[in-house]
Amino acid sequence: MPSPPRADDAHPYLRAATAGVRHHTHALGRSALPEPADRSHLDVLHAHLTALLRLVDQLAGAARPPHPGAGRHLASAHTRLWQATAAVHDAFHLLPSTAADSSDCRPESLPEGPPFMTICQRHLATGHIVRRKTTPTDLDRPPHITACLR
């Protein structure tokens, strides 16, 4: 008789992505003089945040009918993730561009042609999803503080 699956085996892709982020954070923290963030780091971080945002959105939708309280908390997490994603996108445009990452919202000007999806295209596509489910007031609201019930 096969053993029941472990809880952490339910989403191996999420566990692998989290391990990748932890590894990158640990590698950056080990250097004596950490290098400042560059556009490529922020682009990858933005891609990770938008993927996480979509996952939280799906989980909130699934949790809302049977567990409305949990659904509301996940919806709040979705809003906060969008705010973090928007801040990373804004920071991306404040950094100077190099020849390797000079898309700057003009992918047609790249010598190798436009990439599959630039940070701005990804941000706009995700923004449409967020704005269909979230009001502008919710997006501007500061995060709430909750106490752990346990």
Side-chain angles (χ1 to χ4, degrees):
M1 184 172 359
S3 62
R6 294 183 2 208
D8 61 348
D9 286 340
H11 303 285
Y13 59 91
L14 184 60
R15 197 173 63 248
T18 302
V21 170
R22 284 183 185 151
H23 172 75
H24 186 72
T25 303
H26 182 69
L28 286 175
R30 277 190 306 201
S31 61
L33 294 172
E35 295 180 22
D38 62 3
R39 285 181 148 203
S40 61
H41 283 111
L42 293 184
D43 187 23
V44 171
L45 180 60
H46 186 270
H48 190 78
L49 284 171
T50 55
L52 188 58
L53 187 97
R54 290 177 188 214
L55 177 62
V56 169
D57 185 37
Q58 290 175 353
L59 291 173
R64 205 170 276 128
H67 307 287
R72 281 192 301 275
H73 281 284
L74 287 171
S76 178
H78 180 264
T79 301
R80 303 306 164 240
L81 272 171
W82 170 249
Q83 291 170 338
T85 303
V88 168
H89 177 256
D90 293 344
F92 175 89
H93 287 293
L94 292 175
L95 291 177
S97 64
T98 63
D101 61 11
S102 63
S103 64
D104 202 26
C105 290
R106 292 189 314 264
E108 69 280 356
S109 67
L110 291 173
E112 68 274 6
F116 175 72
M117 183 175 279
T118 65
I119 188 171
C120 294
Q121 290 170 327
R122 184 184 325 114
H123 194 70
L124 287 172
T126 306
H128 288 299
I129 294 168
V130 169
R131 286 184 178 87
R132 277 187 280 162
K133 297 181 176 193
T134 312
T135 66
T137 305
D138 289 337
L139 293 176
D140 291 335
R141 189 178 300 157
H144 68 279
I145 307 297
T146 58
C148 184
L149 300 175
R150 290 184 173 208

